[in-house]
Amino acid sequence: MATKCEIGREVPAILEYIPYRKTDGTRARDEPMHGYFAGHGYAVVRVDMRGGSGGESDGLLKDEYLKQEQDDALEVIEWIANQSWCDGNIGMMGKSWGGFNSLQVAARRPKALKAIITVGFTDDRYNNDIHYKGGCLLNDNFWWGRYYVSYQLRPIDPPHIVGDGWRDKWMERLENMPLWMAQWMEHQTRDDYWKHGSVCENYQDIEIPVFALDGWEDSYTNTVLSLMEGLSVPRKGIIGPWAHVYPHDGVPGPAMGFLQEAVKWWDHWLKGIDNDVMEGPMVNVWVEESMEPSVKKPISKGYWVGLEAWPDAKAVQTNVYQLTHGKLIENRSEQQEQVLLKTPPLNHGLLSGEWMGAGVLGGESPADQRLDDGMAMVFETDILENALEIVGYPKFEVELMSDKPHAMLFAQLSDVAPDGAVTRVSYGVMNLTHLNGHDRVDPLTPGEKVKAFVQLDCCGHQFKAGHRLRLSLATTFWPMFWPMPEDATLTLNLETATLSLPTFHGQQVVGPNMNAESAPLTPITTLQEGRVDRSISYDILTDTWTCITDGGVGGVFGEGIYRFDDIDVTVEHNLKRELTLTNADPLSAQYTIYQKMKIGREGWWIDADITVTKTSDQENFQIVAKWPSKKMINRSSIRNGIKKLNVTACK
């Protein structure tokens, strides 16, 4: 889809290249944005990549971020540059997948591509994406793989795209569709599979200006600063309070005038206009103030600060706390003993919220952490006499021993209010067999000392005077991460234990434009409002927990049932996630997803029901998938040197 701002005039072009179907997928989100750019003198081109989302291009999308995807993008860019309405200057942008591939395509250096904007992105596909974190398996790996299979089940629209051959093309796709999450679980260390498409492998491959944005409620904020540090091109970064949404749709608020800032970026780098887009700090960061913990977070209280570079040694300095029994202190005066960190009840992390906030208010943010911290080992400062600001990456380090060859270490930084309420600020995990690098597995030798660490997520937070800082440690974090196959007890040497905090000593700034604007919205009729229900239940007799996220109307994004009026296509996507676990047995973990994907119009309806379940034993993962296909899939691979993966897909 190309939108020309002025017929007969050569103008710069902006490309968005995604697999989400341009006519009935993320159109409602993207069309007002691109209409805004068109109104400011740009041709806008949205391209459905090869086979995407059962999409509107031929072929089968076999995986994320393949070389074929990049090769196709290079052809698209060359085609755009040669059109009579394009002046040969092209920008590329996107959020999530589109943000990822904007960076990846920039690294391929197409001549006509002059600048990019990337939102909600990663530069490291292994350690900062939806599959693994700290070498531990995210349960969102399973959810995202299942979610995208439902997208792939959508057929191509007969009258608008492909004609009478739609059913044959659809069935061919169904019979050859891979089970995505199984592919990702076959690569459980940072091998060449993950290095492909990770621009952190060589930042110097990118030679054009980069504008990078994300928000604290999203899961990709680590990569804004790492990108600023790694690149050597003109660059700007913004970290706001938002979830995995474009900043002009910013939730939690306040939203940002992203489209105005984007136009300034394009004007400077595509039209050569001398404006102030490169003035001010390299990175604007939203520092959140202490707030009551709540699973509902419509507004973030805070203010903007500026970083002239990253690292910014002048504005951000390291403050090191040492650990004693139950205390975080700045100067240790006595010798410390070793302490045992035993596996807590496996439901530690029950109130963690979502790994990725999607902008659906209610249940995505972590709840009051007092319950989870009651199952962890906790260390606290004394009451703060003065407010304390941090911007950057906290880090926990310790010398320890394990009684098992495989173990996880979890660390969390929280803000404790005078009334005892606990708000999570940042957290991190480390698979302790990955201490020498995520590209290898070095099982622990029981009883042997190792130097361990946990890198916590990037954060910007102000701890108020009268509050306390809290560090919580544990060896499990469910339901966010799949549990280790057996419980492990860690012996921590407190003499070596430290928590490093990036304390901020810079200045507040005005920040970016905060007046959100947009072009007219896509004509849509909402047939039923969306909702997302979340619940936790406990079976006292079996000591079993069940966590349910039920997007009974609209899936986990809560978009409801809606119709694109101009093409008369109705979309309904419902999804229910159910995770169960018995505290006494890590091998009892089970994750089942139920989905319905319904799309069409009178005389043409597709209604697909999908069920997928994941379990594990001591040696294997098992995935059983059911969707409209006749093909059986069986796979196996090694997990961290001990677990194999057996996958079955059936009708």
Side-chain angles (χ1 to χ4, degrees), residues 275-301:
N275 56 29
D276 63 355
V277 72
M278 294 305 293
E279 295 179 8
M282 176 186 285
V283 191
N284 284 315
V285 178
W286 182 260
V287 173
E288 290 194 315
E289 299 174 352
S290 297
M291 292 178 286
E292 292 184 7
S294 175
V295 298
K296 296 182 178 180
K297 191 177 180 182
I299 295 293
S300 169
K301 298 178 181 178

Side-chain angles (χ1 to χ4, degrees), residues 524-538:
I524 285 180
T525 298
T526 299
L527 304 177
Q528 187 171 344
E529 293 291 340
R531 74 169 197 278
V532 179
D533 299 326
R534 302 175 189 270
S535 64
I536 297 171
S537 62
Y538 179 57

Side-chain angles (χ1 to χ4, degrees), residues 263-284:
V263 166
K264 285 171 56 177
W265 183 262
W266 299 133
D267 282 350
H268 186 75
W269 297 111
L270 301 186
K271 293 183 178 179
I273 296 175
D274 185 11
N275 56 29
D276 63 355
V277 72
M278 294 305 293
E279 295 179 8
M282 176 186 285
V283 191
N284 284 315

Side-chain angles (χ1 to χ4, degrees), residues 142 576-579 590-594 611-614:
F142 185 67
K576 178 180 178 181
R577 303 182 300 182
E578 184 175 292
L579 296 99
Q590 178 171 305
Y591 192 173
T592 300
I593 297 179
Y594 310 91
T611 302
V612 187
T613 298
K614 179 176 74 171

